[in-house]
Structures are given as C-alpha cells and as structure tokens.
Amino acid sequence: MGRDVVELRQMPDVNKLLLKALTGAVTKKGRKAELPNRSFLMLGHQQDVAGLAAYCRVTGFSVRDEVPATWLHVQTFPMQAALMAEDSFPFSLAGLVHVTNTMTLHRPVKVGEKLRMAVRAENLQPHAKGATFDMVGEIHSGDELVWSGSSNYLASGAKVPGSPGEAVRLKAPEVSPSQQWRLPGDLGRQYAKVSGDSNPIHLYPLTAKLFGFPRPIIHGMWTHARAIAALGGGLPDAYSVKVQFAKPILLPGKVGFAAAESDGAWTFAVVNREGKPHLVGELSPVAG
C-alpha cells in the first residue's frame, strides 16, 4: 500500500501546533497506537540566511556558506511537528521524549540551495516504558539526496504488541572534558527563537514546573548542535552522526564536553560535574 503524500504550501507554525498538542494530551489518551501512513512534502524551500546566522550564534557554529547538518534538521522540524500534531497521530506531541537522533550529511549543502523536504513516521516498537517510533526526514537538492535524519521518540505509557528489544547504549569517550560550557537561564528561549521549538519545558521556570521540571531544560538538539560545533572545523564533508540523550540539562547550568578522535571518527559526550553523560555521540565520515 502506497504512502499518502501531502504537499505543504507553507511552513507550519510550531507555536500553534504546541497549543494544539496540549489539547491532544487529553483527547489522544488511550488511543490505539498506530502510525498514519502519510508523509508531508515541501517543494522549493528557501533557507533563511539571517535565520542561519542567528542559529550559528546560539549553537557555536561559524557562519559559512555551507550549513551545519543540525540546521537541516531544524528545517524539517516544523513539518515533523505538524505530522505529530495531526488528529490521526496516536500520541500527543506534548508528551513525547526525544531518545536518539541520527543524521547523515551526504554532501556539503549551501545556504542558497532550494530544498525539497519530506518527513514521515515509521518503525513503531514496544519499549519497557511505552512505545517508540521514528520521525524520518529526507532533504533533496534537485534530484540529489543531501541530508537524511531520524529522531526516535518515546511515548510513555503507550501499549504496543510484542516484547521490547534490548537497548544499545553508545559509549562515552574515556577522556576528561576539554571544554566547560556555562549555560545561561535564558538559553532555552534563545534556541527556541532560532529553531522554532517553543516547548514550554525549555522557556521559563513556571512553564517547566507545569511539566515536572524544577527549572527549564535546554533542548536536546541544542546540545547536539553545540557538540558538533565543538568538534571544530575539521569535520569531513560528508558524515553520519548519532547521539543519545541520557539526562536533561537544567538551566542555568554548567556542563563539560569530552571528545576523542580515531581514524577520522569521533566519540563525544556532554557530561555533568560528576562525569555522568547528558548526551553521548558518535560521528564518522561517509563516502561521497
């Protein structure tokens, strides 16, 4: 059976989708866990040069004509949020936990390139704490696949037939942190402006407390981007990177960054003062 493809004429407003998601937290509770056989498509997407510059300032990247791989994830995020906010989607966007993120930059992408972007949901699986699924994105420039990515989410308490598979944990590098990052209390608001992700858990102490956090937590994708930026300018032209989100980072806060390189591949981690990871990742070159 073919997938239903819906072409979007304009980029969805994530703030409106998050408001809708708060209602969905009630109306979708107890719904049968079945992913919609649908994908969203956007043609001729023009990247925002000023938006890219602001994104780089917040995440630590140098401003260049070639864009960071994590910026391309940000381009697809409103489409992913729109799909998850659909009435037919079984889980509430507001209650999802980002577990892992994997992406491949197949070749350098310039900010002036117009992009064809598509997103879909797949791979619904049982989990010890509920169910997981993947939000998959693909970006083409012309007919060439230039970026692909997958965000794995946990829907706590959801019921899916079958037994949970064994979790595979990435290993943090066995080196001491080489950098210390001080994260201001408004960093979540800063990143929300440049990414479009204004989830209340990232914004203010009061809105974070409504969802069980004592203080705001920084977006996992900010930590992901900041870690890639911290590896410096020697990254390969084409690479795959996978990160696992282990523990939220409360704002304001202070974390360390550790990285080790071997044969052009990196392992890295963002850790707390005891050396326990908030994020662990692997990056390796891919053939062009």
Side-chain angles (χ1 to χ4, degrees), residues 108-176:
V109 176
K110 295 184 181 297
V111 69
E113 294 186 60
K114 288 188 176 182
L115 307 175
R116 171 164 54 91
M117 307 191 299
V119 303
R120 65 185 185 274
E122 61 182 34
N123 193 32
L124 183 64
Q125 297 289 337
H127 186 276
K129 296 182 179 180
T132 60
F133 65 93
D134 294 330
M135 289 301 301
V136 178
E138 293 180 342
I139 298 179
H140 288 75
S141 179
D143 292 330
E144 183 181 12
L145 178 67
V146 295
W147 179 93
S148 53
S150 177
S151 295
N152 183 256
Y153 287 96
L154 168 66
S156 299
K159 303 295 184 182
V160 175
S163 300
E166 185 175 351
V168 178
R169 298 292 181 187
L170 298 182
K171 292 184 178 180
E174 297 180 356
V175 296
S176 299

Side-chain angles (χ1 to χ4, degrees), residues 16 89 107 171 230:
K16 291 181 180 179
F89 203 83
R107 65 136 168 98
K171 292 184 178 180

